[in-house]
């Protein structure tokens, strides 16, 4: 009788241990789905940062980014110098309809995001913004575009590539993430880099000269 009791106790202990293991695994999975996005890491020579995306991209995103590139090409490199050529398209994600477009016409003028948000008006709230270059996060001759996107209430931002300018270099992405906005980085990246090859080269040269 005592032997049977001990056996049952051992079986019960193994069962409890299995329950504990299942509970621990469930908690780990739940934590993984609610974990805060990782903070952007700055300072890469190419302008890249650690993974910061909270959403993936698809063919529809790529089509909208290509349209943003077309808009960016409205201005020439000479016109925007020393700034990059940037385009922005704001899309009503539910209807997949473009509600605002903008580009950076020249240095000292508002950036692409500002023009696109102005065109979209209240329709920007809850929309997706496609920007060929990471939105700036610093005050220069114009206010930071990352903050403009936050204030406009966009729900998601798709970025072509991370700005190699050390004043930005992940900071704009982080501002968006901190505001709870979904971010996807690297959509049509090769094309976005190509249109700003001159800007990227100047940023790399300035960095190397400062060493």
């Amino acid at each position: 009788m005592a032997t049977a009791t001990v056996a049952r106790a051992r079986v019960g202990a193994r069962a409890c241990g299995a329950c504990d293991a299942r509970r621990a695994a469930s908690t780990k999975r739940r934590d993984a789905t609610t974990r805060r996005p990782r903070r952007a890491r700055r300072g890469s020579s190419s302008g890249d940062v650690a993974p910061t995306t909270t959403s993936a991209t698809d063919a529809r995103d790529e089509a909208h980014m290509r349209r943003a590139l077309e808009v960016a090409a409205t201005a020439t490199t000479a016109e925007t110098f020393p700034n990059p050529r940037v385009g922005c398209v704001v899309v009503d994600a539910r209807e997949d309809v473009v509600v605002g477009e903008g580009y950076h016409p020249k240095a000292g003028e508002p950036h692409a995001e500002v023009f696109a948000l102005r065109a979209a008006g209240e329709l920007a709230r809850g929309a997706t913004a496609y920007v060929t270059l990471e939105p700036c996060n610093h005050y220069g001759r114009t206010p930071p575009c990352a903050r403009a996107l936050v204030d406009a209430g966009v729900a998601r931002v798709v970025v072509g590539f991370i700005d190699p300018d050390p004043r930005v270099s992940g900071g704009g992405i982080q501002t968006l993430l901190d505001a709870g906005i979904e971010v996807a980085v690297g959509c049509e990246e090769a094309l976005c880099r190509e249109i700003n090859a001159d800007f990227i080269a100047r940023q790399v040269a300035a960095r190397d000269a400062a060493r």
Side-chain angles (χ1 to χ4, degrees):
M1 188 68 173
T3 301
T5 300
V6 171
R8 283 196 297 272
R10 288 174 177 170
V11 171
R14 285 197 297 271
C16 289
C19 290
D20 290 341
R22 285 194 294 271
R23 280 196 294 271
S26 177
T27 299
K28 184 176 182 180
R29 286 193 299 270
R30 186 169 59 252
D31 289 345
T33 60
T34 58
R35 188 177 297 117
R36 179 187 178 87
R38 285 176 287 181
R39 297 193 67 82
R41 185 173 62 236
R42 307 186 193 186
S44 170
S45 61
S46 65
D48 294 331
V49 296
T52 59
T53 56
T54 56
S55 66
T57 58
D58 56 23
R60 185 170 56 180
D61 292 324
E62 292 169 357
H64 288 308
M65 185 60 78
R66 287 194 294 272
R67 174 55 189 166
L69 282 162
E70 291 175 357
V71 176
T74 304
T76 66
T77 300
E79 289 172 328
T80 62
F81 183 88
N83 294 346
R85 302 164 76 191
V86 182
C88 178
V89 173
V90 180
V91 176
D92 182 328
R94 292 165 296 186
E95 303 294 333
D96 195 33
V97 174
V98 174
V99 295
E101 295 182 340
Y103 68 95
H104 179 50
K106 64 179 182 179
E109 292 289 324
H111 291 182
E113 298 92 326
V114 174
F115 284 117
L117 292 172
R118 285 179 184 173
E122 285 300 315
L123 294 177
R125 189 164 299 279
T128 297
Y130 296 84
V131 192
T132 56
L133 178 67
E134 176 187 9
C136 65
N137 193 50
H138 63 284
Y139 283 90
R141 283 187 277 186
T142 59
C145 294
R147 178 50 54 186
L149 290 164
V150 171
D151 293 342
V154 300
R156 180 171 178 252
V157 177
V158 180
V159 177
F161 71 104
I162 301 301
D163 193 337
D165 186 334
R167 295 173 298 176
V168 186
S169 194
I173 298 297
Q174 197 61 59
T175 293
L176 300 173
L177 290 172
D178 288 345
I181 295 174
E182 293 185 16
V183 179
V185 180
C187 183
E188 294 289 14
E189 181 170 358
L191 293 176
C192 292
R193 286 181 176 274
E194 181 180 342
I195 196 174
N196 276 310
D198 178 70
F199 172 74
I200 295 171
R202 283 187 278 111
Q203 292 297 322
V204 172
R207 179 210 65 209
D208 292 343
R211 288 180 176 176

